[in-house]
Amino acid sequence: MRKLQSKKWLNWSWALLYAIVLTVTVTLVARGNHNAIEEDTTEKITLTFRHFWITEHDRPMLNIFEDIVRQYESTHPNVKVNFEGMDQTIHREQKLKSEMVTGTPPDMFVLFGGAEIEPYIRSNRLMDLTDFVTNNHLEKQFKDLKLWSYNNRIYGLPIEGNAEPLYVNTTIFNKLGLAMPESLSQLNDAVKVLKENGYIPFALGNEDRWPAAIFAHYLMDRYSSPDTINDIVQGKSGAPFQNSGYLKAFEQLEAWGKEGAFGPSPNDLSTEEAIDLFTHGKAAMYLNGNWDITLFHNEKAPPAFQNEVGVVPFPALIPGGTKAMAGGYTFGIGLSSNLTEAQQKAALELMQAFYSKDVQERIVYEGLRIPSMRVDFDAEKTGPIFTQVTGLMEQTKTTFVPYDNILSPEVKRSFLAIVEEMINGQIQAKEALDRLDESLRQYWNLRRSSGAK
């Protein structure tokens, strides 16, 4: 009987132990499943970020923004940002325009302010960032938001500023006894001497079609009043491209094209190829933006070349005349107005990270770009060329926005195409201006027929 009771007690004990283990196991499994269910229900957020930092001189900028995004993703594992690099011209002139028409732009993208974004704003494709700026107390942090404002609302934020000075190889100029050109007549004299001595006067890589327009807008500014282009942009009657000042400007551009001042086949050269001509002493001058400075002292350039570069404003019409500089805060980031609530939250958190003091300092020191926000930096740490550019900006009393940023996209397309033909010697100045006026008439007729204001 004792053995039987003992056996029953043993069986009961094992049953009790089994029940306890089973209960604990079920509890743990259930708890584990509960956590898994919670993780599965966490909303996964994907954002697309399109940029055109695909060339060598833009690599530092891409690195900066990739770093910021990856840091954000590490603390927000449910968010994935897909970077998409694209050629600037394809993005600006083709892809983004068609996407804006169909309402399918990327979630975040780089773009240019001014006239280029106005049709996107009118069609409600860009997110209004006014409250974002106000809520983050950024109103006074940006140097200039005019090109990003429309009807007192803000529809994008500039990443960097820009300036378009004339870079001069001082070694070549000193060798030939040439002084830094102060006027267009002095510049033409330098072009003649340089050609006679086997140098390309201007290194120009117009493969993307906009670099040559820098020469055009400087000549147009020098030969005419700034009011001229403003009247054209605003559609004032009696404000055509065909005027005496612009005719002289385009005649000068035509002359440079015919005499080979831009070297052979400038429309077939890339920016990098043109800069290679400049850094290796084959071309004496280079006209473009401060964003190219990194290529003046990279591994492809001679080690000491940055010490040979002089930075000056594009010459005035006459000695002592106005030397307004093309520049401004035209390049930035916009957001699609189609974002879901969750996407919008993530995108605005990223914008907070983008527009910070630390990032702006990285843009200066790593990208050698002019900050769009008010941050202090040590110019000596950026090298002699950047120091000259920023110093020149501080000395310049008058600036103007590059014309391709204020002309309507339709007119700008004609402007770039015509300038391309001019530097190739394929079209004369008067015909070029007539074609621009025709493009201008078509644009305003289209605006009026569509009822746009």
Side-chain angles (χ1 to χ4, degrees), residues 167 275 278-279 286 292-298 301 305 385:
Y167 303 99
I275 290 177
F278 180 57
T279 58
Y286 180 71
D292 284 336
I293 292 175
T294 54
L295 297 184
F296 293 166
H297 53 85
N298 64 4
F305 180 74
I385 302 175

Side-chain angles (χ1 to χ4, degrees), residues 9-27:
W9 180 86
L10 187 60
N11 290 340
W12 179 84
S13 298
W14 278 109
L16 179 61
L17 180 61
Y18 177 77
I20 293 172
V21 170
L22 183 62
T23 301
V24 171
T25 301
V26 170
T27 301

Side-chain angles (χ1 to χ4, degrees), residues 306 364-365 368 375-391 394:
Q306 62 177 322
V364 171
Y365 292 121
L368 293 181
V375 295
D376 296 324
F377 60 91
D378 185 350
E380 292 184 0
K381 294 180 180 179
T382 61
I385 302 175
F386 188 85
T387 302
Q388 289 184 75
V389 172
T390 54
E394 292 173 2

